[in-house]
Amino acid sequence: MANHKSALKRIRQNEVRRLRNKYNHKTARTALKSLRTEENKAVAVEQLPRVISLLDKLAKRNIIHKNKAANLKSKLTKHVNSLA
């Protein structure tokens, strides 16, 4: 167990950040899933910018790699464009 005040504070900070990152990552994955399963093009076109924004925020905060975010955005854009 940590003995210093600063170490105890660091443990608390890390836990808060871990939970925040977990929440943001899970929110983005849920948004991805809902966009992938969307059949209506109008709704998908409306959702796409919001999902891309979530991915960009995750990449900016180093929760996911920037290349993974780029790959996901590319695949989602292709999917939305292919809807009839």
Side-chain angles (χ1 to χ4, degrees):
M1 186 63 202
N3 291 324
H4 296 281
K5 263 181 113 171
S6 59
L8 293 170
K9 181 177 177 181
R10 177 63 64 193
I11 289 169
R12 291 193 307 269
Q13 287 176 331
N14 288 340
E15 180 65 13
V16 168
R17 289 176 181 152
R18 184 186 71 84
L19 292 174
R20 187 182 305 130
N21 289 340
K22 182 178 166 186
Y23 171 78
N24 289 331
H25 196 186
K26 183 64 177 169
T27 304
R29 282 187 304 206
T30 305
L32 282 169
K33 187 175 181 181
S34 68
L35 183 58
R36 281 194 191 115
T37 58
E38 186 58 54
E39 309 255 336
N40 186 351
K41 183 166 184 162
V43 175
V45 167
E46 188 179 308
Q47 283 183 346
L48 184 63
R50 189 174 64 87
V51 175
I52 287 176
S53 174
L54 287 172
L55 291 173
D56 285 337
K57 285 177 189 171
L58 290 180
K60 182 177 80 173
R61 296 173 184 152
N62 291 322
I63 298 171
I64 63 173
H65 195 274
K66 65 178 183 173
N67 290 351
K68 178 174 181 162
N71 286 334
L72 287 171
K73 290 191 296 187
S74 173
K75 287 177 186 175
L76 288 171
T77 304
K78 282 172 73 171
H79 169 70
V80 169
N81 288 337
S82 70
L83 291 174

Coordinates of all heavy atoms in Angstrom, one line a residue:
M1 N 0.8 -1.2 0.0 CA 0.0 0.0 0.0 C 0.9 1.2 0.0 O 2.0 1.2 0.6 CB -0.9 0.0 1.2 CG -1.9 1.1 1.3 SD -3.1 1.0 0.0 CE -3.7 2.6 -0.1
A2 N 0.4 2.3 -0.7 CA 1.2 3.5 -0.7 C 1.2 4.2 0.6 O 0.3 4.2 1.4 CB 0.5 4.5 -1.7
N3 N 2.4 4.8 0.9 CA 2.6 5.5 2.2 C 2.6 7.0 2.1 O 2.4 7.6 3.1 CB 4.0 5.0 2.8 CG 3.9 3.6 3.2 OD1 2.9 3.1 3.6 ND2 5.0 2.9 3.0
H4 N 2.8 7.5 0.9 CA 2.9 9.0 0.8 C 1.5 9.5 0.3 O 0.8 8.9 -0.4 CB 3.9 9.3 -0.3 CG 5.3 8.9 0.1 ND1 6.0 9.6 1.0 CD2 6.1 7.9 -0.2 CE1 7.2 9.0 1.2 NE2 7.2 8.0 0.5
K5 N 1.3 10.8 0.8 CA 0.0 11.5 0.4 C -0.1 11.6 -1.1 O -1.1 11.4 -1.7 CB 0.0 12.9 1.0 CG -0.8 13.0 2.3 CD -0.7 14.4 2.8 CE -2.1 15.0 2.7 NZ -2.2 16.3 3.4
S6 N 1.0 11.9 -1.8 CA 1.0 12.1 -3.2 C 0.7 10.8 -3.9 O 0.0 10.8 -5.0 CB 2.3 12.7 -3.7 OG 3.4 11.8 -3.4
A7 N 1.2 9.7 -3.4 CA 0.9 8.4 -4.0 C -0.5 8.0 -3.9 O -1.1 7.5 -4.8 CB 1.8 7.3 -3.4
L8 N -1.1 8.3 -2.7 CA -2.5 8.0 -2.5 C -3.4 8.9 -3.4 O -4.4 8.4 -4.0 CB -2.9 8.3 -1.1 CG -2.3 7.4 0.0 CD1 -2.5 7.9 1.4 CD2 -2.8 6.0 -0.2
K9 N -3.0 10.1 -3.6 CA -3.7 11.0 -4.5 C -3.6 10.5 -6.0 O -4.6 10.5 -6.7 CB -3.2 12.4 -4.4 CG -3.9 13.4 -5.4 CD -3.4 14.8 -5.2 CE -4.1 15.8 -6.1 NZ -3.6 17.1 -6.0
R10 N -2.4 10.1 -6.3 CA -2.2 9.5 -7.7 C -3.1 8.3 -7.9 O -3.7 8.1 -9.0 CB -0.8 9.2 -7.9 CG -0.4 8.6 -9.2 CD -0.7 9.5 -10.4 NE 0.2 10.7 -10.3 CZ 0.0 11.7 -11.1 NH1 -1.0 11.8 -11.9 NH2 0.8 12.8 -11.0
I11 N -3.3 7.5 -6.9 CA -4.1 6.3 -7.1 C -5.6 6.7 -7.3 O -6.3 6.1 -8.2 CB -4.0 5.4 -5.8 CG1 -2.6 4.7 -5.8 CG2 -5.1 4.3 -5.8 CD1 -2.3 4.0 -4.5
R12 N -6.0 7.7 -6.5 CA -7.4 8.2 -6.7 C -7.6 8.8 -8.1 O -8.6 8.5 -8.8 CB -7.7 9.3 -5.7 CG -7.9 8.7 -4.3 CD -8.5 9.7 -3.3 NE -7.9 11.0 -3.4 CZ -6.9 11.4 -2.5 NH1 -6.5 10.6 -1.6 NH2 -6.4 12.7 -2.6
Q13 N -6.6 9.6 -8.6 CA -6.7 10.2 -9.9 C -6.8 9.1 -11.0 O -7.5 9.2 -12.0 CB -5.5 11.1 -10.1 CG -5.5 12.4 -9.4 CD -4.3 13.2 -9.6 OE1 -3.2 12.7 -9.8 NE2 -4.4 14.5 -9.5
N14 N -5.9 8.1 -10.9 CA -5.8 7.1 -11.9 C -7.2 6.3 -12.0 O -7.6 6.0 -13.1 CB -4.7 6.1 -11.6 CG -3.3 6.7 -11.9 OD1 -3.2 7.7 -12.6 ND2 -2.3 6.1 -11.3
E15 N -7.8 6.1 -10.9 CA -9.1 5.4 -10.9 C -10.2 6.2 -11.6 O -10.9 5.7 -12.4 CB -9.5 5.0 -9.4 CG -10.8 4.3 -9.3 CD -10.7 2.9 -10.0 OE1 -9.7 2.4 -10.3 OE2 -11.8 2.3 -10.1
V16 N -10.2 7.5 -11.2 CA -11.2 8.4 -11.9 C -11.0 8.4 -13.4 O -12.0 8.3 -14.1 CB -11.1 9.8 -11.2 CG1 -11.9 10.8 -12.0 CG2 -11.6 9.8 -9.8
R17 N -9.8 8.6 -13.8 CA -9.4 8.6 -15.2 C -9.8 7.3 -15.9 O -10.2 7.3 -17.1 CB -8.0 9.0 -15.4 CG -7.7 10.5 -15.0 CD -6.3 10.8 -15.1 NE -6.1 12.2 -14.7 CZ -5.0 12.7 -14.2 NH1 -4.0 12.0 -14.0 NH2 -5.0 14.0 -13.8
R18 N -9.4 6.2 -15.3 CA -9.7 4.9 -15.8 C -11.2 4.7 -16.1 O -11.6 4.3 -17.2 CB -9.2 3.8 -14.9 CG -9.4 2.4 -15.5 CD -9.0 1.3 -14.5 NE -9.9 1.2 -13.4 CZ -11.1 0.5 -13.4 NH1 -11.4 -0.1 -14.5 NH2 -11.9 0.5 -12.4
L19 N -12.0 5.1 -15.1 CA -13.5 5.0 -15.3 C -14.0 5.9 -16.3 O -14.9 5.5 -17.1 CB -14.2 5.2 -13.9 CG -13.9 4.2 -12.9 CD1 -14.5 4.6 -11.5 CD2 -14.5 2.8 -13.3
R20 N -13.5 7.1 -16.4 CA -13.9 8.1 -17.5 C -13.5 7.6 -18.8 O -14.4 7.6 -19.8 CB -13.3 9.4 -17.2 CG -13.8 10.5 -18.2 CD -13.1 11.9 -17.9 NE -13.2 12.3 -16.5 CZ -12.2 12.7 -15.8 NH1 -11.0 12.8 -16.3 NH2 -12.4 13.1 -14.6
N21 N -12.3 7.0 -19.0 CA -11.9 6.5 -20.3 C -12.8 5.3 -20.7 O -13.2 5.1 -21.8 CB -10.4 6.1 -20.2 CG -9.5 7.3 -20.2 OD1 -9.9 8.4 -20.6 ND2 -8.3 7.0 -19.8
K22 N -13.1 4.4 -19.7 CA -13.9 3.3 -19.9 C -15.3 3.7 -20.4 O -15.8 3.1 -21.4 CB -14.0 2.4 -18.7 CG -14.8 1.2 -18.7 CD -14.7 0.5 -17.4 CE -15.7 -0.7 -17.3 NZ -15.7 -1.2 -16.0
Y23 N -15.9 4.7 -19.8 CA -17.2 5.2 -20.1 C -17.2 5.7 -21.6 O -18.1 5.4 -22.4 CB -17.7 6.3 -19.2 CG -18.9 7.0 -19.6 CD1 -20.2 6.4 -19.4 CD2 -18.9 8.2 -20.2 CE1 -21.3 7.0 -19.9 CE2 -20.0 8.9 -20.6 CZ -21.2 8.2 -20.5 OH -22.4 8.9 -20.9
N24 N -16.2 6.6 -21.9 CA -16.1 7.2 -23.2 C -15.9 6.1 -24.3 O -16.5 6.2 -25.4 CB -15.0 8.2 -23.3 CG -15.3 9.4 -22.5 OD1 -16.5 9.8 -22.3 ND2 -14.3 10.1 -22.0
H25 N -15.1 5.1 -24.0 CA -14.8 4.0 -25.0 C -16.1 3.2 -25.2 O -16.4 2.9 -26.4 CB -13.7 3.2 -24.5 CG -13.1 2.3 -25.5 ND1 -12.1 1.4 -25.2 CD2 -13.3 2.2 -26.8 CE1 -11.8 0.8 -26.4 NE2 -12.5 1.2 -27.3
K26 N -16.8 2.9 -24.2 CA -18.0 2.1 -24.3 C -19.1 2.9 -25.0 O -19.8 2.3 -25.8 CB -18.5 1.7 -22.9 CG -19.7 0.8 -22.9 CD -19.4 -0.6 -23.5 CE -20.6 -1.5 -23.4 NZ -20.5 -2.7 -24.2
T27 N -19.2 4.2 -24.7 CA -20.2 5.0 -25.4 C -19.9 5.0 -26.9 O -20.8 4.9 -27.8 CB -20.1 6.4 -24.9 OG1 -20.4 6.4 -23.5 CG2 -21.2 7.3 -25.5
A28 N -18.6 5.1 -27.3 CA -18.3 5.1 -28.7 C -18.6 3.8 -29.4 O -19.1 3.7 -30.5 CB -16.8 5.5 -28.9
R29 N -18.3 2.7 -28.7 CA -18.5 1.4 -29.3 C -20.0 1.2 -29.5 O -20.4 0.6 -30.5 CB -18.0 0.3 -28.3 CG -16.5 0.1 -28.5 CD -16.0 -1.1 -27.7 NE -16.4 -0.9 -26.3 CZ -15.7 -1.5 -25.3 NH1 -14.7 -2.2 -25.5 NH2 -16.2 -1.3 -24.1
T30 N -20.9 1.6 -28.5 CA -22.3 1.5 -28.7 C -22.8 2.3 -29.9 O -23.6 1.9 -30.7 CB -23.0 2.0 -27.4 OG1 -22.5 1.2 -26.3 CG2 -24.5 1.7 -27.5
A31 N -22.2 3.5 -30.1 CA -22.6 4.4 -31.2 C -22.2 3.7 -32.5 O -22.9 3.7 -33.5 CB -22.0 5.7 -31.0
L32 N -21.0 3.1 -32.5 CA -20.5 2.4 -33.7 C -21.5 1.3 -34.1 O -21.9 1.1 -35.2 CB -19.1 1.8 -33.5 CG -18.0 2.7 -33.5 CD1 -16.7 2.0 -33.0 CD2 -17.7 3.1 -35.0
K33 N -21.9 0.5 -33.1 CA -22.7 -0.6 -33.3 C -24.1 -0.2 -33.9 O -24.6 -0.8 -34.8 CB -22.9 -1.4 -32.0 CG -23.7 -2.7 -32.2 CD -23.7 -3.5 -30.9 CE -24.4 -4.8 -31.1 NZ -24.5 -5.6 -29.8
S34 N -24.6 0.9 -33.3 CA -25.9 1.4 -33.8 C -25.9 1.9 -35.2 O -26.8 1.7 -36.0 CB -26.5 2.4 -32.8 OG -25.7 3.6 -32.9
L35 N -24.7 2.5 -35.5 CA -24.6 3.0 -36.9 C -24.4 1.9 -37.9 O -24.9 1.9 -39.0 CB -23.4 4.0 -37.0 CG -23.1 4.6 -38.3 CD1 -24.3 5.4 -38.8 CD2 -21.9 5.5 -38.3
R36 N -23.6 0.8 -37.5 CA -23.4 -0.3 -38.4 C -24.7 -1.1 -38.7 O -24.9 -1.6 -39.8 CB -22.4 -1.3 -37.8 CG -21.0 -0.9 -37.9 CD -20.1 -2.0 -37.6 NE -18.7 -1.5 -37.5 CZ -18.0 -1.6 -36.3 NH1 -18.5 -2.1 -35.2 NH2 -16.8 -1.1 -36.3
T37 N -25.6 -1.1 -37.7 CA -26.8 -1.9 -37.9 C -28.0 -1.0 -38.5 O -29.0 -1.6 -38.8 CB -27.3 -2.4 -36.5 OG1 -27.5 -1.4 -35.6 CG2 -26.3 -3.4 -36.0
E38 N -27.7 0.3 -38.7 CA -28.7 1.2 -39.2 C -29.0 0.9 -40.7 O -28.1 0.7 -41.5 CB -28.3 2.6 -39.1 CG -29.3 3.6 -39.5 CD -30.6 3.5 -38.7 OE1 -30.5 3.5 -37.5 OE2 -31.6 3.4 -39.4
E39 N -30.3 0.7 -41.1 CA -30.6 0.4 -42.5 C -31.1 1.6 -43.2 O -31.1 1.7 -44.4 CB -31.7 -0.7 -42.5 CG -31.4 -1.9 -41.6 CD -31.1 -3.1 -42.4 OE1 -31.5 -3.1 -43.6 OE2 -30.4 -3.9 -41.9
N40 N -31.6 2.6 -42.5 CA -32.1 3.8 -43.1 C -31.0 4.8 -43.4 O -30.3 5.2 -42.5 CB -33.1 4.5 -42.2 CG -33.8 5.7 -42.8 OD1 -33.5 6.1 -43.9 ND2 -34.9 6.2 -42.2
K41 N -30.8 5.2 -44.7 CA -29.6 6.0 -45.0 C -29.8 7.4 -44.4 O -28.8 8.0 -44.0 CB -29.5 6.2 -46.6 CG -28.3 7.0 -47.0 CD -28.0 6.8 -48.4 CE -26.7 7.6 -48.7 NZ -26.0 7.2 -49.9
A42 N -30.9 8.0 -44.4 CA -31.1 9.3 -43.8 C -30.7 9.4 -42.3 O -30.0 10.3 -41.9 CB -32.5 9.8 -44.0
V43 N -31.1 8.4 -41.6 CA -30.7 8.3 -40.2 C -29.2 8.1 -40.0 O -28.5 8.7 -39.2 CB -31.5 7.2 -39.5 CG1 -31.1 7.1 -38.0 CG2 -33.0 7.5 -39.5
A44 N -28.6 7.2 -40.9 CA -27.2 6.9 -40.8 C -26.4 8.2 -41.2 O -25.4 8.4 -40.5 CB -26.9 5.8 -41.8
V45 N -26.8 8.9 -42.2 CA -26.1 10.2 -42.5 C -26.1 11.2 -41.4 O -25.2 11.9 -41.1 CB -26.7 10.8 -43.8 CG1 -26.2 12.2 -44.1 CG2 -26.4 9.9 -45.0
E46 N -27.2 11.2 -40.7 CA -27.4 12.1 -39.5 C -26.5 11.6 -38.4 O -25.9 12.5 -37.6 CB -28.8 12.1 -39.1 CG -29.2 13.1 -38.0 CD -30.6 13.1 -37.7 OE1 -31.5 13.2 -38.6 OE2 -30.9 13.0 -36.5
Q47 N -26.3 10.3 -38.2 CA -25.5 9.8 -37.0 C -24.0 9.9 -37.3 O -23.2 10.0 -36.4 CB -25.9 8.3 -36.8 CG -27.2 8.1 -36.0 CD -27.4 6.6 -35.8 OE1 -26.7 5.8 -36.4 NE2 -28.3 6.3 -34.9
L48 N -23.6 9.8 -38.6 CA -22.2 9.7 -38.9 C -21.3 10.8 -38.3 O -20.3 10.4 -37.7 CB -22.0 9.6 -40.4 CG -20.6 9.3 -40.9 CD1 -20.1 8.0 -40.4 CD2 -20.6 9.4 -42.4
P49 N -21.7 12.0 -38.4 CA -20.8 13.1 -37.9 C -20.6 13.0 -36.4 O -19.5 13.2 -35.8 CB -21.5 14.4 -38.2 CG -22.4 14.1 -39.3 CD -22.8 12.6 -39.2
R50 N -21.6 12.5 -35.7 CA -21.6 12.4 -34.2 C -20.6 11.2 -33.8 O -19.8 11.4 -32.9 CB -22.9 12.1 -33.6 CG -23.0 12.1 -32.1 CD -24.4 11.9 -31.6 NE -25.0 10.7 -32.0 CZ -24.9 9.5 -31.2 NH1 -24.2 9.6 -30.1 NH2 -25.4 8.4 -31.6
V51 N -20.7 10.1 -34.6 CA -19.8 9.0 -34.3 C -18.3 9.3 -34.7 O -17.4 9.0 -33.9 CB -20.3 7.7 -35.1 CG1 -19.3 6.6 -35.0 CG2 -21.6 7.3 -34.7
I52 N -18.1 10.0 -35.8 CA -16.8 10.5 -36.2 C -16.2 11.4 -35.1 O -15.0 11.3 -34.8 CB -16.8 11.1 -37.6 CG1 -17.0 10.1 -38.6 CG2 -15.5 11.9 -37.8 CD1 -17.2 10.6 -40.0
S53 N -17.0 12.3 -34.6 CA -16.6 13.1 -33.5 C -16.1 12.4 -32.3 O -15.1 12.6 -31.7 CB -17.7 14.1 -33.1 OG -17.3 14.9 -32.0
L54 N -16.9 11.3 -31.9 CA -16.5 10.5 -30.7 C -15.2 9.8 -31.0 O -14.4 9.7 -30.1 CB -17.6 9.5 -30.5 CG -18.9 9.9 -29.9 CD1 -20.0 8.8 -29.9 CD2 -18.7 10.4 -28.5
L55 N -15.0 9.3 -32.2 CA -13.8 8.6 -32.5 C -12.6 9.5 -32.5 O -11.5 9.2 -32.0 CB -13.9 7.9 -33.9 CG -14.8 6.7 -34.0 CD1 -15.0 6.3 -35.4 CD2 -14.3 5.6 -33.1
D56 N -12.8 10.7 -33.0 CA -11.7 11.7 -32.9 C -11.3 12.1 -31.5 O -10.1 12.2 -31.2 CB -12.1 13.0 -33.7 CG -12.1 12.8 -35.2 OD1 -11.4 11.9 -35.7 OD2 -12.8 13.6 -35.9
K57 N -12.3 12.2 -30.6 CA -12.0 12.5 -29.2 C -11.3 11.4 -28.6 O -10.3 11.6 -27.8 CB -13.3 12.8 -28.5 CG -14.0 14.2 -28.8 CD -15.3 14.3 -28.1 CE -16.0 15.6 -28.6 NZ -17.3 15.7 -28.1
L58 N -11.7 10.1 -28.9 CA -10.9 9.0 -28.3 C -9.5 9.0 -28.7 O -8.6 8.7 -28.0 CB -11.6 7.7 -28.6 CG -13.0 7.4 -28.0 CD1 -13.5 6.1 -28.5 CD2 -12.9 7.4 -26.5
A59 N -9.3 9.3 -30.0 CA -7.9 9.3 -30.5 C -7.1 10.4 -30.0 O -5.9 10.2 -29.6 CB -7.9 9.4 -32.1
K60 N -7.7 11.6 -29.8 CA -7.0 12.7 -29.2 C -6.6 12.4 -27.8 O -5.5 12.9 -27.4 CB -7.9 13.9 -29.3 CG -7.3 15.2 -28.7 CD -8.2 16.4 -28.9 CE -9.2 16.4 -27.8 NZ -10.1 17.6 -27.7
R61 N -7.4 11.7 -27.1 CA -7.1 11.4 -25.7 C -6.3 10.1 -25.5 O -6.1 9.6 -24.4 CB -8.4 11.3 -24.9 CG -9.1 12.6 -24.8 CD -10.5 12.4 -24.2 NE -11.2 13.6 -24.2 CZ -12.6 13.7 -24.2 NH1 -13.3 12.6 -24.2 NH2 -13.2 14.8 -24.3
N62 N -5.8 9.5 -26.6 CA -5.0 8.3 -26.6 C -5.8 7.1 -26.0 O -5.1 6.2 -25.4 CB -3.7 8.5 -25.9 CG -2.8 9.4 -26.7 OD1 -2.7 9.3 -27.9 ND2 -2.1 10.3 -26.0
I63 N -7.1 7.1 -26.1 CA -7.8 5.9 -25.6 C -7.8 4.9 -26.7 O -7.7 3.7 -26.4 CB -9.3 6.3 -25.3 CG1 -9.2 7.3 -24.1 CG2 -10.1 5.1 -24.9 CD1 -10.6 7.9 -23.8
I64 N -7.9 5.3 -28.0 CA -7.6 4.4 -29.1 C -6.5 5.1 -30.0 O -6.3 6.3 -29.9 CB -8.9 4.1 -29.9 CG1 -9.4 5.4 -30.6 CG2 -9.9 3.4 -29.1 CD1 -10.6 5.2 -31.5
H65 N -5.9 4.3 -30.8 CA -4.8 4.8 -31.7 C -5.4 5.6 -32.8 O -6.5 5.3 -33.2 CB -4.0 3.6 -32.2 CG -2.7 4.0 -32.8 ND1 -2.6 4.4 -34.1 CD2 -1.5 4.0 -32.3 CE1 -1.3 4.7 -34.4 NE2 -0.6 4.5 -33.3
K66 N -4.7 6.6 -33.3 CA -5.2 7.5 -34.3 C -5.5 6.7 -35.6 O -6.4 7.1 -36.3 CB -4.3 8.7 -34.5 CG -3.0 8.3 -35.1 CD -2.1 9.6 -35.3 CE -0.8 9.2 -36.0 NZ 0.0 10.3 -36.4
N67 N -4.6 5.7 -35.9 CA -4.9 5.0 -37.1 C -6.1 4.1 -37.0 O -6.8 3.9 -38.0 CB -3.7 4.1 -37.5 CG -2.5 4.9 -37.9 OD1 -2.6 6.1 -38.1 ND2 -1.3 4.3 -38.0
K68 N -6.4 3.6 -35.8 CA -7.6 2.8 -35.7 C -8.8 3.7 -35.8 O -9.8 3.3 -36.5 CB -7.7 2.2 -34.3 CG -8.9 1.4 -34.0 CD -9.0 0.6 -32.7 CE -10.3 -0.1 -32.6 NZ -10.3 -1.2 -31.6
A69 N -8.8 4.9 -35.3 CA -9.9 5.8 -35.5 C -10.1 6.1 -37.0 O -11.2 6.2 -37.5 CB -9.6 7.1 -34.7
A70 N -9.0 6.3 -37.7 CA -9.1 6.6 -39.2 C -9.7 5.4 -39.9 O -10.5 5.6 -40.8 CB -7.7 6.9 -39.7
N71 N -9.2 4.2 -39.6 CA -9.8 3.0 -40.2 C -11.3 2.9 -40.0 O -12.1 2.6 -40.9 CB -9.1 1.8 -39.7 CG -7.7 1.6 -40.3 OD1 -7.4 2.2 -41.4 ND2 -6.8 0.9 -39.6
L72 N -11.7 3.1 -38.7 CA -13.1 3.0 -38.4 C -13.9 4.0 -39.1 O -15.0 3.7 -39.6 CB -13.3 3.1 -36.9 CG -12.9 1.9 -36.0 CD1 -12.9 2.3 -34.5 CD2 -13.7 0.7 -36.3
K73 N -13.4 5.3 -39.2 CA -14.2 6.3 -39.8 C -14.3 6.0 -41.3 O -15.4 6.2 -41.9 CB -13.4 7.7 -39.7 CG -13.5 8.2 -38.2 CD -13.0 9.6 -38.1 CE -11.6 9.8 -38.5 NZ -11.1 11.1 -38.2
S74 N -13.2 5.5 -41.9 CA -13.3 5.1 -43.4 C -14.3 4.0 -43.6 O -15.1 4.1 -44.6 CB -11.9 4.7 -43.8 OG -11.9 4.2 -45.1
K75 N -14.3 3.0 -42.8 CA -15.2 1.9 -43.0 C -16.7 2.3 -42.8 O -17.6 1.9 -43.5 CB -14.9 0.7 -42.0 CG -13.6 0.0 -42.4 CD -13.3 -1.1 -41.4 CE -12.0 -1.7 -41.7 NZ -11.6 -2.7 -40.7
L76 N -16.9 3.2 -41.8 CA -18.2 3.6 -41.5 C -18.7 4.5 -42.6 O -19.9 4.4 -43.0 CB -18.3 4.4 -40.2 CG -18.2 3.6 -38.9 CD1 -18.0 4.5 -37.7 CD2 -19.4 2.7 -38.8
T77 N -17.9 5.4 -43.2 CA -18.3 6.2 -44.3 C -18.6 5.4 -45.5 O -19.6 5.7 -46.2 CB -17.1 7.2 -44.6 OG1 -16.8 7.9 -43.4 CG2 -17.6 8.2 -45.7
K78 N -17.8 4.4 -45.8 CA -18.1 3.5 -46.9 C -19.5 2.8 -46.7 O -20.3 2.7 -47.6 CB -17.0 2.5 -47.1 CG -15.8 3.0 -47.8 CD -14.6 2.0 -47.8 CE -14.9 0.9 -48.8 NZ -13.7 0.0 -48.9
H79 N -19.7 2.4 -45.5 CA -21.0 1.7 -45.2 C -22.2 2.6 -45.4 O -23.2 2.2 -46.0 CB -20.9 1.2 -43.7 CG -22.3 0.7 -43.2 ND1 -22.9 -0.5 -43.7 CD2 -23.1 1.2 -42.3 CE1 -24.0 -0.6 -43.1 NE2 -24.2 0.4 -42.2
V80 N -22.1 3.8 -44.9 CA -23.2 4.8 -45.0 C -23.4 5.1 -46.5 O -24.6 5.2 -46.9 CB -22.9 6.1 -44.2 CG1 -23.9 7.1 -44.5 CG2 -22.9 5.7 -42.7
N81 N -22.3 5.3 -47.2 CA -22.5 5.6 -48.7 C -23.1 4.4 -49.5 O -23.7 4.7 -50.5 CB -21.2 6.0 -49.3 CG -20.7 7.4 -48.8 OD1 -21.5 8.2 -48.4 ND2 -19.4 7.6 -48.8
S82 N -22.9 3.2 -49.0 CA -23.4 2.1 -49.7 C -24.9 1.8 -49.4 O -25.5 1.0 -50.1 CB -22.6 0.8 -49.4 OG -22.9 0.4 -48.0
L83 N -25.4 2.5 -48.4 CA -26.9 2.2 -48.1 C -27.7 2.8 -49.2 O -27.4 3.8 -49.8 CB -27.2 2.9 -46.8 CG -26.6 2.3 -45.5 CD1 -27.0 3.1 -44.3 CD2 -27.1 0.9 -45.3
A84 N -28.8 2.1 -49.5 CA -29.7 2.6 -50.5 C -30.8 3.5 -50.0 O -31.3 3.4 -48.9 CB -30.3 1.4 -51.3

